[in-house]
Amino acid sequence: MAPGASAELAARAARLCAVMDSTTNARIAEHGLTRADFDVLAALRGAGPGHRLRPMDLSALCRLSSGGTSNVLRRMTESGYVVREADLHDGRSSWAQLTVEGLRVVEAVQEGVDAVHSRVLRRLPPGVVDALSALLAQAVDALESQAR
């Protein structure tokens, strides 16, 4: 590895992330949501049939503290995007479930995010997005497996 290559990689990855995040956050804000709100709604959407998860699972998936997750769930419940249900098998636990309106909102936001990302990434030469994505997946998989 060339001297300074790791710092250069980290800096470029951070710049790419900043470009993608700024466009994502702008679309999310248009719907009156914070990034944490969107991340929780998207995690629930991706949870499969029923669109529900335990708050502790949401915390882990969204990299939020338990207090942060509680605050987001409270806001999303007040907005009608999420309902909270007691866990019938464990009285100490509960479930957060996406409502029909929550699903509509998260899908609308994701559609807007996808559209703007497509416009941004169209500036790259053909094949670059797929190549970068494959290389980054390989790097992340290798690095995360070593961290375990």
Side-chain angles (χ1 to χ4, degrees):
M1 177 173 15
S6 61
E8 190 174 314
L9 173 63
R12 287 183 176 158
R15 288 170 60 197
L16 175 62
C17 187
V19 169
M20 300 301 280
D21 277 351
S22 69
T23 58
T24 298
N25 293 341
R27 297 294 92 60
I28 291 168
E30 289 173 359
H31 292 269
L33 301 173
T34 67
R35 181 59 184 255
D37 296 340
F38 175 71
D39 288 347
V40 165
L41 294 176
L44 289 169
R45 177 182 177 228
H51 303 293
R52 64 188 229 155
L53 290 167
R54 287 189 169 90
M56 65 183 238
D57 296 326
L58 281 169
S59 293
L61 284 169
C62 300
R63 295 185 172 133
L64 293 170
S65 67
S66 60
T69 301
S70 292
N71 287 336
V72 170
L73 289 175
R74 180 186 45 75
R75 282 195 309 274
M76 296 300 92
T77 300
E78 289 170 359
S79 297
Y81 301 155
V82 170
V83 292
R84 301 284 301 267
E85 298 175 350
D87 186 330
L88 300 178
H89 303 292
D90 181 356
R92 300 166 297 164
S93 188
S94 66
W95 292 93
Q97 183 171 1
L98 200 57
T99 64
V100 171
E101 181 63 9
L103 182 60
R104 185 196 66 73
V105 167
V106 72
E107 287 180 346
V109 173
Q110 189 63 59
E111 190 176 295
V113 167
D114 291 345
V116 76
H117 283 174
S118 291
R119 282 195 305 274
V120 168
L121 295 174
R122 242 182 267 142
R123 300 176 195 154
L124 298 175
V128 169
V129 172
D130 292 335
L132 279 173
S133 184
L135 287 169
L136 287 170
Q138 183 181 356
V140 168
D141 289 347
L143 295 172
E144 285 182 344
S145 70
Q146 288 177 357
R148 291 180 210 148

